[in-house]
Structures are given as structure tokens and as C-alpha cells.
Amino acid sequence: TTQSKEGKEGWQSAIFKVGDDCRQDVLALQFIAAVKMIMEASGLNAYLFPYRVIATAPGCGVIEVIPNSQSRDQLGREKINSLFGYFTFKFGGERTVRFGQARDALVRSMAAYSVVCYLLAIRDRHNGNIMVEEQGHLIHIDFGFILDIAPGGVKFETAPFKFTSEMLQVLGGRESAAFQWFQELCVQSFLHHVIQFLLEQN
């Protein structure tokens, strides 16, 4: 069981993983937690979810399951053909208040994780490693391939972060206010992180 900030106890699911070095996940999530603190201190309305991982030994560990979420891959297996289709099914039409709130959550999380993926050179961003949370946030998991660490001969995507046509569709296209906000939030998040780093060096 775990205890929430309100003092209420509840069950928390976890995965016991064997065969992967969870220490890289621990490192990546410590970095994500630090970026989250910088964003919050800077007043940026971005969203990150640094879930908990404990490396119990080389090659195994315990990983917190992100509550109330499904991977994009799981949604596909449930015959949901697009992220936009999922959003309209769960939150209502594109003009509804709930859809707008979910799209805002999507922008806030996409921008934050785009910056994190760029800074840590996170690769292997397939649909099984992207979680869709019940409020509309996209949360990245599984950080086994960071900072150009990868098995010999294995090639991953070269894009600095994952931004797909279906994500753009939910935002409303390249001319939409949501897409403009996404770009601005990415730039602000990156600059605030760089400024914080420079301040710590002085």
C-alpha cells in the first residue's frame, strides 16, 4: 500500500523486472524529477510524471505502474485507430470543454517530455513506451536507451523526440493555437533548464 498527500492509503501496482538494467531508468527519472522541479520553480505550466523505480540489483528492479493509463500500443489493440479517435471517444467532441482540457493536458506533457527526450537523447520511443493517462497527458516510460547507450548494431529513430501526425491532429493542425502553445512551451522549458544549469555552474 501507499499513502497519498492527503494521508489516504491505497494500493499501488508495481512490476518486478528481470533482465534489464533498471539503474538507467533510475538515472533518467532522477533527471526528469529535477527538470520537473525547475519547471515548477519557473512557473511553467508543463507536466512530467517521474514515477518510481528501485534497482534491487544489476539486471532487476521494481517499477511503479502509472495509474489510470494505457499504452498507445494497448489502445491500438483495442481497435482505437488514432489518438484523436481516443480523445473524442473519451472526452467528447473537439468543441467540448472536456476535450479542450484534455488537449491542454496533452500539450503540457508533450512539450515537457519532448525537452527531456532531447536533453537525454532518449530513444526507442515506440507506442509501447508511451502511456496515455486518463486526463489526456502523454507519459513516457522505459528509459533503457539514453545518451546513445544502445547494443552494438541496433539502430533507433534519429528524431530528437516523438511528435507524430496523430498528435498533431489532436492539437488541431499546424495553424492551431494548441500547436503554437506547444512550440512556445518547448522553447521556454528548454531555455529555463539551460539557465538553471548555467546558474548552478556560477
Side-chain angles (χ1 to χ4, degrees):
T1 61
T2 59
Q3 195 170 59
S4 68
K5 293 179 181 178
E6 293 78 21
K8 297 179 181 179
E9 287 193 352
W11 288 99
Q12 174 61 56
S13 300
I15 297 170
F16 294 86
K17 198 166 186 178
V18 177
D20 286 333
D21 193 344
C22 294
R23 292 175 296 181
Q24 286 182 200
D25 290 79
V26 172
L27 172 64
L29 289 161
Q30 287 174 342
F31 179 84
I32 290 171
V35 172
K36 178 181 172 73
M37 289 177 59
I38 292 171
M39 289 177 174
E40 289 176 349
S42 303
L44 293 175
N45 192 20
Y47 181 89
L48 291 167
F49 186 87
Y51 60 93
R52 291 167 291 184
V53 174
I54 299 174
T56 54
C60 57
V62 183
I63 301 173
E64 178 185 8
V65 173
I66 297 173
N68 306 314
S69 64
Q70 289 180 285
S71 72
R72 178 63 187 89
D73 185 59
Q74 286 175 306
L75 295 178
R77 291 200 298 269
E78 293 175 6
K79 309 302 181 184
I80 298 176
N81 296 323
S82 71
L83 197 60
F84 182 80
Y86 170 77
F87 269 61
T88 54
F89 171 77
K90 184 169 179 62
F91 304 112
E94 195 172 3
R95 297 181 181 275
T96 64
V97 172
R98 290 187 67 222
F99 186 99
Q101 292 171 337
R103 179 161 54 197
D104 287 352
L106 179 70
V107 170
R108 293 169 56 220
S109 58
M110 278 176 53
Y113 277 103
S114 294
V115 171
V116 166
C117 285
Y118 174 75
L119 292 173
L120 273 184
I122 298 172
R123 296 294 182 260
D124 197 29
R125 297 298 86 200
H126 57 74
N127 284 341
N129 287 340
I130 308 291
M131 306 298 292
V132 185
E133 180 257 4
E134 66 174 358
Q135 295 179 352
H137 301 108
L138 288 191
I139 300 172
H140 287 241
I141 63 172
D142 195 349
F143 305 105
F145 302 106
I146 61 174
L147 302 172
D148 289 331
I149 299 171
V154 177
K155 292 184 178 180
F156 292 118
E157 66 273 15
T158 57
F161 55 83
K162 184 160 186 170
F163 184 83
T164 64
S165 57
E166 69 169 5
M167 295 174 185
L168 182 61
Q169 184 183 17
V170 178
L171 299 189
R174 293 186 179 276
E175 303 303 321
S176 67
F179 180 66
Q180 301 302 316
W181 180 32
F182 166 75
Q183 293 182 96
E184 292 168 7
L185 196 51
C186 281
V187 172
Q188 291 171 5
S189 299
F190 177 77
L191 290 178
H192 277 288
H193 181 78
V194 171
I195 290 169
Q196 182 67 25
F197 174 78
L198 292 175
L199 289 174
E200 289 175 354
Q201 304 308 304
N202 294 326

